[in-house]
């Protein structure tokens, strides 16, 4: 069970799997860079930035 599922506060409503994974990574390491996030979820850095901004 993911951290989002354990502490569901409505954050996962309407999110796709990539967005959920980004949130999981940020919960685990709030100092992760956008480049690291993009590499871990398999998107471009630009897409990773967009997910975080959104």
């Amino acid at each position: 069970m993911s951290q989002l599922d354990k502490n569901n506060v409505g954050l996962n409503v309407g999110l796709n799997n990539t967005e959920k994974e980004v949130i999981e990574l940020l919960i685990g390491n709030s100092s992760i860079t956008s480049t690291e996030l993009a590499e871990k979820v398999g998107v471009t850095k630009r897409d990773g930035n967009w997910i975080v901004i959104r």
Side-chain angles (χ1 to χ4, degrees):
M1 183 177 290
S2 74
Q3 186 72 18
L4 281 179
D5 293 333
K6 290 178 195 171
N7 298 318
N8 184 357
V9 291
L11 290 177
N12 60 353
V13 175
L15 299 177
N16 66 36
N17 289 335
T18 303
E19 293 165 334
K20 288 178 185 178
E21 188 174 356
V22 166
I23 292 172
E24 288 284 340
L25 290 165
L26 289 168
I27 288 170
N29 178 5
S30 61
S31 63
I32 192 169
T33 67
S34 60
T35 301
E36 292 170 323
L37 277 174
E39 289 172 359
K40 289 183 182 285
V41 297
V43 298
T44 65
K45 182 179 176 186
R46 182 176 181 178
D47 288 340
N49 287 338
W50 176 248
I51 291 167
V52 172
I53 291 169
R54 202 178 137 205

